[in-house]
Amino acid sequence: MAIDTKAIEEHIRGIIVALGDNPDREGLKETPERVAKMYEEVFEGMNYSNDEIAVMFDKTFSEDFRSVSNDVVVVKDIEVFSYCEHHMALMYDMKVSVAYIPKGRVVGLSKIARICDMAAKRLQLQERLGNDIAEIISKVTGSEDIAVMIEGCHSCMTARGIKKNASKTYTETLRGRFENEAMLQMRIRR
């Protein structure tokens, strides 16, 4: 699915009118086009399924070390942002941590960050984002032992509505051994 920037421009123009402003005034003339370009960038992930993202970032290496069953790869504090699908409000200051137990292949570390970034570039829920990342990482690494932890602020809570600007939301997606093994959970929460 390609993002229809012309339709976005038309709708943004309509929103400006609905807000009671003049879309032809100097400061707003190019706003519909700028918003359409911004949406094309920040919602890029909507162009791809989880399977397509997995193929896009499927750069793995055979393990060149003797892995034991408790080896864990953890990448912490990957900064991403997304947009809440309920209000189209910014989910910001999001930090994603991803852990997996290698199963014969390891993925390039930058690919983990790229997967997180692309999955976030959709209208999202923080809970779904964790599941999407876990699913993609599993497809790329072949491992079912995945953990994704996300901490984020939501402008639908901080800038509008209840306006609790210090609130943060924490989610965990635990799959495979991470679901049941407390020792693994402790290792990733340090």
Side-chain angles (χ1 to χ4, degrees):
M1 174 188 96
I3 293 173
D4 187 343
T5 56
K6 289 300 175 194
I8 293 170
E9 287 179 35
E10 290 172 23
H11 290 290
I12 294 300
R13 183 175 174 80
I15 289 170
I16 292 169
V17 170
L19 291 172
D21 212 328
N22 176 4
D24 295 317
R25 75 174 171 84
E26 186 63 31
L28 293 175
K29 279 182 186 176
E30 296 175 13
T31 296
E33 182 182 345
R34 284 192 296 266
V35 171
K37 284 182 180 178
M38 178 192 73
Y39 278 9
E40 191 173 39
E41 176 185 338
V42 301
F43 295 124
E44 178 185 9
M46 295 182 76
N47 292 317
Y48 307 103
S49 68
N50 286 350
D51 288 331
E52 291 169 322
I53 294 171
V55 169
M56 193 181 311
F57 299 114
D58 187 3
K59 180 63 176 173
T60 59
F61 306 93
S62 294
E63 293 180 34
D64 59 354
F65 59 92
R66 183 177 166 94
S67 177
V68 295
S69 62
N70 288 328
D71 287 350
V72 178
V73 175
V74 182
V75 180
K76 289 189 171 202
D77 297 333
I78 301 165
E79 293 181 355
V80 300
F81 69 89
S82 191
Y83 287 85
C84 164
E85 69 181 33
H86 296 141
H87 300 98
M88 291 185 73
L90 185 63
M91 296 189 298
Y92 62 99
D93 289 343
M94 294 182 84
K95 292 182 182 167
V96 179
S97 296
V98 176
Y100 75 98
I101 299 173
K103 297 286 190 243
R105 296 185 299 165
V106 293
V107 64
L109 298 177
S110 70
K111 299 303 184 251
I112 294 173
R114 291 178 193 282
I115 288 167
C116 294
D117 196 49
M118 189 63 76
K121 289 183 173 185
R122 299 171 169 165
L123 291 173
Q124 271 291 15
L125 297 174
Q126 185 170 322
E127 299 88 342
R128 185 183 313 115
L129 178 58
N131 278 293
D132 286 347
I133 293 167
E135 180 181 320
I136 297 164
I137 295 290
S138 180
K139 288 175 184 296
V140 171
T141 64
S143 177
E144 295 178 10
D145 304 316
I146 312 271
V148 179
M149 291 132 316
I150 305 174
E151 169 189 315
C153 297
H154 295 242
S155 62
C156 53
M157 286 224 4
T158 62
R160 59 155 304 277
I162 191 125
K163 296 180 185 166
K164 299 298 179 193
N165 63 357
S167 66
K168 292 183 179 183
T169 301
Y170 297 87
T171 55
E172 288 186 354
T173 302
L174 304 174
R175 300 221 174 135
R177 291 179 53 201
F178 286 102
E179 284 184 89
N180 302 314
E181 294 184 30
M183 284 302 269
L184 281 174
Q185 292 172 12
M186 286 188 335
R187 288 175 66 188
I188 61 173
R189 289 181 180 139
R190 289 186 238 173

